[in-house]
Structures are given as C-alpha cells and as structure tokens.
Amino acid sequence: MTRTVIESKTKTAIIGFDQPFCVIGERINPTGRKILNEELERGDYSRVEADALAQVAAGANVLDINSGAVFSGKMAEDPRYADNNFVEPTLMTELVSRVQAIVDVPLCIDSSVPGALENGLAAAEGRPLLNSVTGEEERLELVLPLVNKYNVPVVAISNDDTGISEDPDVRFAVAKKIVERAADFGIPAHDIVVDPLVMPIGAMGTAGLQVFTLVRRLREELGVNTTCGASNISFGLPNRHGINNAFLPMAMTAGMTSAIMNPVALPVGATKIAEKRAEVAAAGIVLPDDMDDETFVQMFGLGSTLPRAGKEMEAIRAANFLTNNDEGGGNWIKFNRVAPKAGQESRGRAGRSGGRRRA
C-alpha cells in the first residue's frame, strides 16, 4: 500500500489508501483574506495562532502554511516589498515558528517562491509536506532538488507550461511526467501526492466525474496518493457546503486520500445574532432575559458562537467509518458525543443527578 509519511517533532500523519482521510487545514493563508494580510503586515500573528488552534481542534491532521502576503503599505516605504521573493522567505520562517510553537501536528509548506519553500523546510521540525511542484520545466528544476535535499514528500499539481487543461487525459499525463521526473532525483512515488485539479462543477458539468476518474487512474496506474482544493468543486454556487459534503465522500471512494480544506465552521458573528434577535422580537417571541448568545444561536439553528468542526468534517468521518478506515466507529462516536453543559457533567440519561435510580 502506498503511504506518504508526514511528521512534526512529536506526531505522524499518514496519507494512504488504507488510512483515514487526511485533512490538510487551509486557513493560514493571507491570499484573499484582507484582514489577515493587514495583520501580518503589522507583525500581528494572533489570528494565525487562533486559526492553527481552531483547525487542529476541528480535526485537521496537517496544517498548510502559506506565505503569499502582499504588504502594500510597506511597498510605499520600501520598493523591495513589491517583490514576493523578498517578503515571503522571512514571513514563512516566522509563520512556521509561530504555528509549531502552539500545535504539534505536521505542517505543509506552501509557496510559489523557492526561497520561502526552503526557509519553511529549514524551520519546520520533523518531515513536512511541500506544496507544491507543477509540470512546468522551470518549476521542476527548482523544487525537486529541494524535495530531494530535505527528504520530504511533495504535492504535484497537474498543470504544466501549457496551463491547466480541461482534458483529464492531459492532466494525467502531466502527473505521470512529474512522477517520472521525481524518480530521476531519487524521489519515490509514495512521496508524491498528486493534485489532479478539481474544476468548478458550476462551470463544467463533468468536473466531478472527471476528478473521480482521474483519481482512480492515479491510484491504479501510478500508485500515488492524491489531494485537492476541496472547495473548488462548489465555487460560485449556493449552499457550497451541500456540494462539498457530497463531493468529499465520493472522491474518497474513488481513491482520493487527502484534501486541502477548511475544517472549521466559522463562528456566528455579532451582526447576524443581532439581526436574528430583532427578527425574533418582531415575531412576538419572548425569550428569557438571561439567554446567552450561544444558547440563542443553537436554538434558532444559526450554528455556534465558537469555532467548531464544519459539516465537511462530519461527511469525512462518516465516510471513514463506511470505508472501514474507522474500525468499530470509535472516531465517529467520539465526534458525535455532545459535551455536557456546565453544571450537568454528572447528570444521567434522565437528566437527574446520579442517573437512574433503582426501585
């Protein structure tokens, strides 16, 4: 069985056909996150640390660390900040150091800048995953020597100098090329995790079928593990969680062994709570004056005021159970065990202290 081993100083995550699905948390990424980007420019890492803790608590096995920040404010003072080759290596070192100081899961070092990749590999304890290499000749020559030097596994993305093909056969050929070129550097197939590139189903009706077919071929013909940006499948559609929840178990049964994704259901914000409270009051519903926000949002199905595991994590854990990668269902049962509310820790099934009484 193909197994890709990723390690921190104290923990091991295994991506494999006979292993539970590996969740790679994607939240530590300033791309498209304006507030996080601004905080990083100020040297504020509190959101990074909070995201790291929340993702691990939600069940992430590995954390992706992306250093693709744009420090537009500093550019005005120093033109060097317009160059990612200047910004990202230093930022990557700091991000890796901050994250591994508070969580013990393995890391995935993610950048398009070779200097940032090397800095991340140098700072990471254990055996991180490198994200990523493509079939582009320049990228192969830059990244594969790093993979060999640090003896780490790498994500291989199925595009090359011609771009991203809509033809799944072309994307398979690119993946095969990367696996073969990696072998020239002494990198075994079990250390290649292929991203076959998931297209949005809203733009291409065959996107789901394509990726399922590709994943099967990658497993059967190349013997490699696979990953993807899971939320790509639902881009631009309503109820994205519904699409993602169906896609992930289907991809798993096709042979996909990991995904780069958000494992956290984000907290309900104060604005949404206030709007709902106003709606409830307008409907004439009288609530206790001392009802806290958490009880309120749960009562009205809004979610939670705290970060928690998202619905996608529920779908993944159910699929692990159904594919016998959660023998006996222990993880599924643990995931669904409801924590008692304060003051009810010792109450039994009937809600009375001490449980049922014998007659």
Side-chain angles (χ1 to χ4, degrees):
M1 282 290 185
T2 299
R3 291 183 174 183
T4 305
V5 178
I6 312 168
E7 297 173 326
S8 67
K9 187 176 181 179
T10 58
K11 280 193 173 180
T12 299
I14 301 176
I15 303 176
F17 304 144
D18 61 342
Q19 299 293 309
F21 194 73
C22 182
V23 174
I24 303 170
E26 69 178 8
R27 292 284 295 165
I28 303 173
N29 184 345
T31 306
R33 296 185 67 190
K34 182 179 179 181
I35 294 175
L36 175 59
N37 195 95
E38 291 173 349
E39 289 175 347
L40 292 177
E41 187 168 9
R42 297 195 306 267
D44 179 359
Y45 294 89
S46 58
R47 191 178 302 268
V48 167
E49 292 169 349
D51 281 343
L53 292 168
Q55 288 182 104
V56 172
N61 309 106
V62 176
L63 292 185
D64 188 85
I65 310 294
N66 184 293
S67 57
V70 177
F71 292 166
S72 54
K74 290 186 176 181
M75 286 180 200
E77 304 168 6
D78 187 340
R80 291 179 299 173
Y81 282 94
D83 183 1
N84 275 14
N85 291 287
F86 176 76
V87 173
E88 290 201 37
T90 302
L91 178 60
M92 178 64 82
T93 299
E94 187 67 23
L95 288 171
V96 168
S97 299
R98 294 269 182 165
V99 170
Q100 68 186 3
I102 60 170
V103 297
D104 58 358
V105 299
L107 303 181
C108 176
I109 309 301
D110 183 0
S111 177
S112 60
V113 175
L117 293 177
E118 181 142 30
N119 275 22
L121 290 172
E125 299 171 335
R127 189 175 196 250
L129 176 64
L130 196 65
N131 188 10
S132 59
V133 68
T134 66
E136 297 165 287
E137 287 300 323
E138 182 180 5
R139 192 74 178 170
L140 289 166
E141 294 298 324
L142 285 170
V143 176
L144 292 181
L146 279 178
V147 175
N148 182 53
K149 176 183 176 180
Y150 287 91
N151 184 29
V152 294
V154 64
V155 174
I157 301 179
S158 299
N159 68 281
D160 59 13
D161 301 272
T162 64
I164 300 174
S165 174
E166 293 187 358
D167 185 339
D169 290 333
V170 172
R171 301 207 300 278
F172 177 84
V174 173
K176 184 177 180 181
K177 169 188 172 181
I178 296 172
V179 171
E180 290 172 347
R181 289 291 296 277
D184 294 338
F185 285 85
I187 302 163
H190 64 251
D191 275 341
I192 308 293
V193 182
V194 173
D195 181 347
L197 292 171
V198 175
M199 305 295 189
I201 191 74
M204 180 187 293
T206 59
L209 294 174
Q210 276 194 9
V211 76
F212 303 149
T213 300
L214 259 173
V215 166
R216 290 189 188 97
R217 288 192 68 190
L218 290 164
R219 173 175 176 163
E220 293 168 4
E221 298 180 37
L222 299 184
V224 294
N225 282 306
T226 46
T227 194
C228 71
S231 64
N232 288 354
I233 192 71
S234 61
F235 181 78
L237 292 175
N239 189 13
R240 296 186 66 183
H241 294 295
I243 299 292
N244 298 344
N245 292 349
F247 169 74
L248 283 162
M250 294 175 75
M252 290 167 68
T253 55
M256 187 168 284
T257 46
S258 70
I260 301 170
M261 55 178 282
N262 178 15
V264 181
L266 299 181
V268 182
T271 300
K272 191 170 184 179
I273 293 172
E275 289 173 351
K276 188 64 177 180
R277 282 188 180 274
E279 180 185 321
V280 169
I285 300 172
V286 179
L287 300 173
D289 293 336
D290 61 350
M291 178 178 284
D292 60 79
D293 284 347
E294 179 64 16
T295 302
F296 176 81
V297 298
Q298 290 198 21
M299 175 179 288
F300 289 94
L302 299 181
S304 174
T305 59
L306 304 171
R308 60 198 174 107
K311 282 293 184 181
E312 286 86 347
M313 294 300 295
E314 181 178 291
I316 287 169
R317 291 179 189 274
N320 280 335
F321 191 9
L322 291 167
T323 55
N324 200 34
N325 282 320
D326 177 15
E327 189 174 354
N331 288 327
W332 174 252
I333 293 168
K334 181 180 178 181
F335 178 73
N336 285 280
R337 186 175 291 127
V338 178
K341 292 184 178 180
Q344 296 183 336
E345 290 85 352
S346 62
R347 293 180 182 271
R349 291 177 60 190
R352 296 187 299 267
S353 178
R356 292 184 177 180
R357 295 180 181 178
R358 293 185 178 182

